C-alpha cells in the first residue's frame, strides 16, 4: 500500500469511496538530465523523461482515469505527444472505485512506466557487440537495470475527494511533497570486489562499468562515434549515451562555431580536409575538429603541409568561441495552480484548465520559435524549458519567448486577483553565455543557479538576465524587465555590424560586404562603451547610503562623450543614451557602478563577439 493511501485508509474502511485524486511523478529528473558531459547526453536524458511521462499518461487513460493535469489539447487523440504539449514529469488524475481499486491504479501506472524503462534499456542486447567497443567488463543486466530504476524513482499518492476540489488539490499536493522526502529505496549497490573500483566520470554518483582500454581510446578519439576515449560511465550514464544513438544534436563546438561550419569557406575546407584523411600521414583528428583549433594551435601542431595552409587561409570567416544556454521558468506557478492568485469567484478547476491550456500553447509556440531561430530545444515542459543557442540567435530567441509568454497569459490575467501586484503569471529567463571549452555540466549548474538568483532579484515578477562568463576575465551579469531586452539588443547592434535578423534559416547568415561596410561606418566604437563604463564607476565614491553625483550630470557627461565619438550616426548614440537614461531612472545612485557599468560591460562583450569582422 502506498504511503498516501495508507494515511487515509481509515476513511476507506468507513465507506466505499467513489472518486480519488491521484498524483504521480518521476523523481530525480533535473539531476538525471543535468549529469551530461555531451549535449547528446542532455538530449537523451530529456527524451527519456518525456517517454516515461507519456507512458504514465497513456497508462492512466487506459485504466479509465480522468487526466486533470497536464491539460489535454486534443481529446480522443492517440498521439499523446500531440495531446499533451505542455508535458510535465508529474500528473494529477481522478480515479473511481474503492481504496483497493485506486491502489491497483497507482501500482499499474508504476508498473507500466517501469516496463517502458526496461523496454528502452534492453541491457542484454547492449552487452554484446557495442559493449566490447567501449571496454565494458562483464556486468549483469539485472545490476544495470536496478541502477537505472533508482536514478528515476517513481512516487504516487492518492486521497479521497470530499467535495471541495480546492481543498482536495491542496491535500494531494501536501501529501505528495511528504511522499517525495520519505526515503524507502535501498542504497546504491556496489560492484563485486573483483571489478574495477572507479566512479562514473560523468555523474560521480555510481560505480562505473565501462572504461575503454588504451588501445580503444585511440580508436575512439579518431573515429566519429557517440563515445570518446575519456568516457568512464556508470549504467545510467552509459544508457543515456546509448539511448542518444541516432539523435541529431549539435555539439557545443557546432553551436559556438556555427558561422564557420555553415559558411561556404567552411564547407569547402571540411571537404578538402576529409580528402586528406586518405593520406596515411593525415592529422589524427576529424575535419570539424581541425576547424576548432586556434591559429596558435594550428601553427604548433602543423609546422607545414596542406592542412596548415587550409586552416590558416586569410579568407577564413571570423567565428567567436562563445555560445549560450537559455533557461526559463514561470514564477510562483505553484500558487497559480493552487488557486491562491485567482479571484475568489474563479473555480479552481476552471482556472487550472485555462492556465494549463495557455501553457500548452506556449510550449508549442516555443518549439516553433526554436526551429525558426536556430535554437536547439532540450525540453519545454510547460512553464519551464531549456534551449541551446548560437550566440547570433540567443537574444532574439529569448525576446520572442518572453513575448510569446505574455500573449498566452493574457487570458489568465482576467482570472487574477492581482494579489501582491501579480496580474498574470510572469516568466523569468536566464541567458548564460560561455566559452566552448567550458565543461557542459558546470555550465548547466551555473545557469540553473543564475536563474534562481534572477528570480529572487526580480522578486518573482518576471524579466531576463544575461551572464557572460568571459574566458579572459571575470563574469559580468545584468538583469532587467522584458521591455529592456529589446533596448539591450539595440544597444549591441549600435556598437557592431551585426543585426538580430541576419540569420534567415540557411547558411551562416553573413550579409554582403557592402552592407557590412555601411553598418561599420555608422557603428559606435566599442572603446566608447569602455569609457562610459569607467565614467559610471567613478560617479559614486561616497558611502553606500549617501547620494552620488546627480543623474543629469552623469547623463550630460555621457552625452558629451558620445558626441566626441566621431561616429556618423547620431541615432546609434541616442540608442545607448536612451537605454542608459532608463537604467539611471530605475537604479539608485548608490548602485550605479553595478547597475550601469556592468551592463555596459555585457553589451560591449556581446558587440565584440557578434561582430562579423
Amino acid at each position: 500500500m502506498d504511503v498516501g493511501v495508507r494515511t487515509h485508509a481509515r476513511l476507506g474502511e468507513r465507506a466505499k469511496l467513489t472518486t480519488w485524486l491521484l498524483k504521480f511523478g518521476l523523481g530525480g529528473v533535473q539531476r538525471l538530465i543535468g549529469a551530461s558531459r555531451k549535449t547528446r547526453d542532455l538530449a537523451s536524458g530529456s527524451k527519456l523523461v518525456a517517454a516515461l511521462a507519456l507512458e504514465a499518461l497513456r497508462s492512466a487513460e487506459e485504466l479509465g482515469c480522468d487526466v486533470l493535469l497536464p491539460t489535454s489539447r486534443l481529446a480522443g487523440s492517440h498521439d499523446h505527444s500531440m495531446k499533451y504539449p505542455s508535458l510535465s514529469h508529474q500528473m494529477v488524475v481522478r480515479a473511481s472505485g474503492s481504496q483497493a481499486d485506486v491502489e491497483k491504479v497507482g501500482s499499474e501506472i508504476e508498473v507500466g512506466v517501469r516496463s517502458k524503462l526496461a523496454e528502452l534499456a534492453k541491457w542484454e542486447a547492449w552487452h554484446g557487440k557495442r559493449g566490447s567497443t567501449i571496454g565494458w567488463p562483464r556486468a549483469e543486466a539485472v545490476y544495470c537495470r536496478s541502477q537505472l530504476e533508482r536514478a528515476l524513482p517513481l512516487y504516487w499518492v492518492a486521497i479521497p475527494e470530499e467535495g471541495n476540489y480546492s481543498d482536495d488539490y491542496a491535500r494531494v499536493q501536501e501529501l505528495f511533497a511528504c511522499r517525495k522526502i520519505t526515503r524507502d529505496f535501498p542504497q546504491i549497490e556496489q560492484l563485486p570486489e573483483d571489478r574495477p573500483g572507479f566512479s562514473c566520470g560523468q555523474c560521480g554518483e555510481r560505480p562505473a562499468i565501462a572504461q575503454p582500454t588504451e588501445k580503444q581510446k585511440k580508436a575512439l578519439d579518431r573515429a566519429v562515434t557517440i563515445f570518446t576515449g575519456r568516457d568512464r560511465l556508470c549504467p545510467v550514464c552509459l544508457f543515456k549515451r546509448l539511448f542518444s544513438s541516432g539523435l541529431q544534436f549539435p555539439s557545443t563546438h557546432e553551436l559556438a562555431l556555427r558561422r564557420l561550419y555553415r559558411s561556404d569557406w567552411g564547407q569547402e575546407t571540411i571537404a578538402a580536409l576529409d580528402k586528406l584523411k586518405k593520406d596515411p600521414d593525415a592529422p589524427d583528428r576529424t575535419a570539424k575538429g581541425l576547424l576548432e583549433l586556434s591559429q596558435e594551435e594550428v601553427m604548433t601542431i602543423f609546422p607545414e603541409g596542406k592542412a596548415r595552409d587550409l586552416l590558416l587561409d586569410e579568407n577564413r570567416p571570423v567565428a567567436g568561441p562563445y555560445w549560450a544556454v537559455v533557461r526559463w521558468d514561470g514564477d510562483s506557478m505553484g500558487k497559480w495552480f493552487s488557486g491562491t492568485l485567482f479571484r475568489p469567484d474563479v473555480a479552481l478547476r476552471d482556472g487550472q484548465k485555462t492556465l494549463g491550456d495557455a501553457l500548452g500553447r506556449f510550449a508549442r509556440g516555443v518549439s516553433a520559435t526554436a526551429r525558426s531561430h536556430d535554437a536547439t530545444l532540450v525540453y519545454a515542459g510547460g512553464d519551464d524549458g531549456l534551449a541551446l543557442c548560437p550566440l547570433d540567435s540567443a537574444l532574439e530567441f529569448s525576446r520572442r519567448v518572453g513575448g510569446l509568454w505574455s500573449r498566452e497569459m493574457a487570458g489568465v490575467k482576467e482570472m487574477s486577483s492581482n494579489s501582491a501586484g501579480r496580474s498574470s503569471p510572469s516568466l523569468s529567463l536566464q541567458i548564460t553565455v560561455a566559452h566552448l571549452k567550458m565543461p557542459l555540466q558546470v555550465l548547466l549548474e551555473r545557469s540553473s543557479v543564475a536563474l534562481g538568483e534572477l528570480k529572487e532579484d526580480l522578486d518573482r515578477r518576471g524579466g531576463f538576465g544575461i551572464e557572460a562568463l568571459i574566458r579572459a576575465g571575470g563574469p559580468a551579469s545584468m538583469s532587467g524587465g522584458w521591455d529592456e531586452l529589446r533596448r539591450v539588443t539595440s544597444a549591441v547592434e549600435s556598437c557592431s555590424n551585426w543585426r538580430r535578423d541576419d540569420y534567415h534559416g540557411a547558411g551562416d547568415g553573413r550579409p554582403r560586404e557592402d552592407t557590412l561596410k555601411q553598418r561599420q561606418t555608422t557603428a559606435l566604437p566599442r572603446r566608447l562603451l569602455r569609457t562610459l563604463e569607467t565614467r559610471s564607476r567613478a560617479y559614486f565614491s561616497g558611502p553606500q547610503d549617501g547620494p552620488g553625483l546627480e543623474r543629469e550630470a552623469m547623463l550630460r557627461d555621457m552625452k558629451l562623450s558620445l558626441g566626441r565619438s566621431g561616429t556618423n550616426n547620431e541615432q546609434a548614440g541616442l540608442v545607448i543614451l536612451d537605454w542608459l537614461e532608463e537604467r539611471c531612472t530605475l537604479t539608485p545612485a548608490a548602485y550605479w557602478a553595478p547597475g550601469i557599468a556592468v551592463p555596459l560591460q555585457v553589451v560591449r562583450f556581446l558587440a565584440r563577439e557578434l561582430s562579423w569582422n
Side-chain angles (χ1 to χ4, degrees):
M1 183 186 296
D2 189 85
V3 175
V5 177
R6 184 167 60 246
T7 305
H8 295 274
R10 61 184 185 279
L11 297 176
E13 296 170 357
R14 191 168 55 209
K16 186 175 182 179
L17 303 172
T18 55
T19 60
W20 298 69
L21 281 187
L22 184 148
K23 182 167 184 178
F24 182 93
L26 282 69
V29 168
Q30 294 299 329
R31 176 177 289 185
L32 177 79
I33 296 176
S36 303
R37 198 176 64 80
K38 288 174 165 285
T39 55
R40 62 169 52 253
D41 299 326
L42 196 63
S44 64
S46 175
K47 182 181 177 182
L48 173 62
V49 171
L52 298 182
L54 285 172
E55 180 62 27
L57 288 166
R58 188 194 64 77
S59 299
E61 288 186 346
E62 287 188 351
L63 292 167
C65 297
D66 179 19
V67 179
L68 305 180
L69 293 173
T71 57
S72 170
R73 181 172 74 100
L74 301 172
S77 172
H78 296 290
D79 186 346
H80 287 75
S81 61
M82 292 293 294
K83 189 173 182 179
Y84 298 100
S86 59
L87 188 62
S88 171
H89 58 275
Q90 297 179 1
M91 68 176 183
V92 177
V93 304
R94 177 176 284 125
S96 302
S98 64
Q99 178 179 316
D101 294 331
V102 79
E103 287 183 19
K104 184 177 180 181
V105 167
S107 298
E108 290 195 12
I109 294 175
E110 182 175 350
V111 169
V113 173
R114 295 197 184 281
S115 298
K116 181 66 175 181
L117 184 61
E119 175 190 335
L120 295 173
K122 296 180 182 177
W123 290 107
E124 295 84 351
W126 286 346
H127 194 308
K129 184 177 179 181
R130 279 188 169 177
S132 63
T133 64
I134 53 173
W136 188 345
R138 292 183 58 82
E140 292 78 2
V142 174
Y143 169 79
C144 296
R145 192 179 300 115
S146 67
Q147 292 292 308
L148 185 57
E149 289 179 353
R150 290 170 192 173
L152 273 174
L154 306 179
Y155 307 110
W156 65 270
V157 297
I159 63 162
E161 290 193 278
E162 297 181 350
N164 187 317
Y165 178 74
S166 297
D167 292 342
D168 294 339
Y169 182 80
R171 285 191 297 127
V172 79
Q173 287 285 89
E174 181 181 1
L175 191 59
F176 188 78
C178 294
R179 173 67 185 89
K180 288 181 69 175
I181 62 174
T182 302
R183 182 185 177 92
D184 62 347
F185 51 89
Q187 294 282 351
I188 294 177
E189 295 180 11
Q190 301 298 311
L191 284 168
E193 293 183 0
D194 60 340
R195 303 288 173 80
F198 45 79
S199 298
C200 177
Q202 186 155 294
C203 67
E205 297 180 14
R206 291 167 286 270
I209 60 170
Q211 184 178 29
T213 63
E214 289 301 321
K215 182 178 180 180
Q216 289 168 333
K217 285 181 181 180
K218 293 180 180 179
L220 288 171
D221 286 339
R222 186 182 179 90
V224 181
T225 70
I226 60 175
F227 298 102
T228 70
R230 295 180 303 237
D231 287 330
R232 191 177 68 195
L233 305 174
C234 67
V236 177
C237 294
L238 176 62
F239 168 66
K240 285 172 57 180
R241 186 67 58 81
L242 291 167
F243 192 57
S244 73
S245 180
L247 287 179
Q248 298 298 320
F249 212 77
S251 67
T252 57
H253 285 79
E254 289 173 316
L255 288 163
L257 302 177
R258 187 200 67 175
R259 288 182 181 179
L260 187 61
Y261 289 149
R262 295 188 179 181
S263 66
D264 293 338
W265 182 93
Q267 295 295 315
E268 293 170 1
T269 303
I270 289 173
L273 289 171
D274 281 336
K275 291 180 180 179
L276 288 179
K277 301 299 286 184
K278 299 177 182 179
D279 187 340
D281 297 327
D284 191 18
R285 291 174 183 261
T286 63
K288 284 189 175 181
L290 291 172
L291 286 185
E292 296 164 6
L293 297 174
S294 66
Q295 185 176 10
E296 293 77 12
E297 290 172 325
V298 171
M299 291 187 292
T300 301
I301 297 174
F302 305 113
E304 58 183 12
K306 182 66 174 175
R308 176 190 174 98
D309 296 339
L310 287 170
L311 295 172
L312 296 181
D313 185 359
E314 62 180 9
N315 295 318
R316 176 183 175 128
V318 174
Y322 288 90
W323 64 289
V325 170
V326 181
R327 190 188 292 267
W328 61 90
D329 189 34
D331 300 313
S332 305
M333 297 307 294
K335 291 183 178 180
W336 283 101
F337 272 108
S338 67
T340 305
L341 300 177
F342 289 132
R343 294 197 318 268
D345 60 322
V346 175
L348 178 59
R349 186 70 196 105
D350 294 338
Q352 288 181 338
K353 182 71 167 62
T354 301
L355 181 55
D357 290 346
L359 291 176
R361 294 192 299 271
F362 172 71
R364 294 196 304 275
V366 167
S367 297
T369 302
R371 289 192 297 271
S372 62
H373 286 76
D374 204 31
T376 302
L377 191 63
V378 179
Y379 63 84
D383 69 302
D384 65 338
L386 176 66
L388 313 181
C389 297
L391 197 54
D392 283 301
S393 59
L395 293 175
E396 184 63 10
F397 170 73
S398 300
R399 190 182 71 83
R400 289 182 179 268
V401 168
L404 185 64
W405 176 274
S406 179
R407 288 194 299 273
E408 297 302 343
M409 293 299 135
V412 182
K413 187 175 182 178
E414 300 173 359
M415 298 183 169
S416 170
S417 64
N418 203 23
S419 174
R422 290 174 169 84
S423 59
S424 65
S426 58
L427 183 75
S428 296
L429 180 145
Q430 177 68 33
I431 306 170
T432 306
V433 181
H435 194 276
L436 57 82
K437 291 190 177 180
M438 184 174 188
L440 178 62
Q441 198 163 348
V442 175
L443 175 56
L444 293 172
E445 178 65 23
R446 182 71 177 250
S447 70
S448 178
V449 171
L451 179 59
E453 294 174 347
L454 175 69
K455 284 174 167 284
E456 295 300 323
D457 291 344
L458 299 176
D459 194 25
R460 299 186 180 275
R461 295 178 185 274
F464 76 97
I466 303 176
E467 183 176 31
L469 303 177
I470 306 171
R471 188 171 175 83
S477 60
M478 63 167 294
S479 61
W482 281 109
D483 291 340
E484 190 180 355
L485 184 54
R486 176 183 55 82
R487 290 177 176 269
V488 170
T489 305
S490 298
V492 173
E493 291 177 331
S494 69
C495 299
S496 68
N497 59 6
W498 167 85
R499 299 294 182 266
R500 69 191 77 183
D501 55 355
D502 279 344
Y503 181 72
H504 296 287
D508 62 345
R510 184 181 179 86
R512 293 170 41 148
E513 290 303 320
D514 56 345
T515 302
L516 292 178
K517 289 180 180 178
Q518 191 275 333
R519 291 178 182 177
Q520 198 65 42
T521 60
T522 59
L524 292 172
R526 288 191 294 276
R527 64 178 180 274
L528 176 62
L529 294 184
R530 181 183 290 276
T531 300
L532 298 180
E533 177 188 333
T534 303
R535 289 179 180 274
S536 63
R537 291 182 185 276
Y539 268 91
F540 180 78
S541 56
Q544 286 298 311
D545 57 348
L549 295 182
E550 292 294 332
R551 164 180 164 271
E552 289 74 13
M554 182 174 75
L555 291 173
R556 185 166 56 250
D557 194 8
M558 288 185 170
K559 188 173 183 179
L560 289 173
S561 298
L562 290 168
R564 301 190 195 102
S565 64
T567 178
N568 296 323
N569 188 358
E570 184 179 354
Q571 184 61 34
L574 290 176
V575 167
I576 297 290
L577 192 64
D578 289 346
W579 170 55
L580 292 176
E581 186 172 4
E582 182 183 27
R583 288 202 70 87
C584 287
T585 302
L586 300 175
T587 306
Y591 297 97
W592 275 351
I596 306 297
V598 178
L600 280 167
Q601 183 183 359
V602 172
V603 168
R604 178 165 55 84
F605 166 78
L606 292 175
R608 183 191 72 198
E609 294 301 323
L610 287 169
S611 289
W612 285 100
N613 54 353

